Amino acid sequence: MKPIVAVVGRPNVGKSTLFNKIAGQRIAIVEDTPGITRDRIYADAEWNGREFTLIDTGGIEPSGGDVILSQMREQASLAIDMADVILFMVNVRDGMTAADSEVAAMLQKCGKPVLLVCNKVDNPGSPPMAMYEFYNLGMGDPYPVSSTHGLGLGDLLDEVVAYF
Ligand code: GDP
Ligand code: MG
């Protein structure tokens, strides 16, 4: 069986966009407003000759408050059960939220590799100041990426496949 890489994070951070970029096709539905992504979605992916299965844990993405948090907990436990490497996605536009902190704490306890991915860093060059608040999650260096522009994905994937 191929190693499994799961993407978790709040609705609208850009999980499905990253998934489609890495999978090389539009499989997951990208929502302009948080909405329904149906179920978890799988794709075969490959980086530097290393094959893996990518999972978008988006599920049915709710639009507010406690529902988001419970959905995120569910996504995180799915990823903890199934994945060999977990990508925890946040984004610089929205900044850090309480739900991010809670899910980060849950993921850190699982003992699996978790990489913090900071999406929507659309301009090449030095990352924006807004990225630095994510150090407060205690998950180490965030990987700045722009899923729509494909920036930063090489460095991220180098690190991902190093865990296989
Ligand atoms: P998900 O809910 O986490 O799966 O997020 P989606 O992939 O559906 O994306 C939510 C919105 O963010 C969509 O409008 C995307 O086009 C947008 N988006 C995703 N990645 C980026 C990015 O790197 N930069 C910018 N500016 N927008 C992005
Ligand atoms: Mg999605």
Side-chain angles (χ1 to χ4, degrees):
M1 215 173 97
K2 295 175 190 172
I4 293 175
V5 178
V7 189
V8 305
R10 265 186 305 113
N12 218 34
V13 288
K15 298 180 299 298
S16 299
T17 305
L18 178 78
F19 176 96
N20 288 335
K21 203 70 167 186
I22 295 176
Q25 352 173 6
R26 283 179 60 91
I27 300 171
I29 299 163
V30 173
E31 296 285 336
D32 279 327
T33 50
I36 294 171
T37 316
R38 259 174 283 162
D39 203 354
R40 74 189 102 128
I41 300 171
Y42 299 80
D44 290 322
E46 183 255 298
W47 180 249
N48 281 343
R50 317 288 291 273
E51 297 188 336
F52 56 96
T53 300
L54 191 63
I55 306 181
D56 179 359
T57 63
I60 296 161
E61 300 205 321
S63 55
D66 289 349
V67 198
I68 289 185
L69 185 54
S70 60
Q71 173 80 24
M72 284 176 75
R73 285 202 197 97
E74 229 169 274
Q75 287 177 14
S77 52
L78 184 83
I80 289 167
D81 288 345
M82 300 186 66
D84 298 289
V85 180
I86 298 168
L87 302 182
F88 179 53
M89 185 178 268
V90 292
N91 81 61
V92 274
R93 300 218 170 169
D94 300 339
M96 200 174 85
T97 69
D100 288 336
S101 311
E102 175 156 336
V103 175
M106 188 175 160
L107 292 173
Q108 276 162 322
K109 279 187 275 186
C110 80
K112 290 189 173 175
V114 182
L115 301 180
L116 176 60
V117 181
C118 184
N119 194 34
K120 307 197 185 183
V121 179
D122 292 337
N123 298 312
S126 18
M129 285 307 290
M131 193 178 86
Y132 292 93
E133 81 171 301
F134 294 111
Y135 277 94
N136 294 316
L137 291 172
M139 303 180 99
D141 293 338
Y143 283 84
V145 303
S146 170
S147 298
T148 43
H149 301 294
L151 297 171
L153 301 187
D155 287 347
L156 174 66
L157 291 172
D158 283 348
E159 190 65 22
V160 167
V161 302
Y163 283 107
F164 299 162

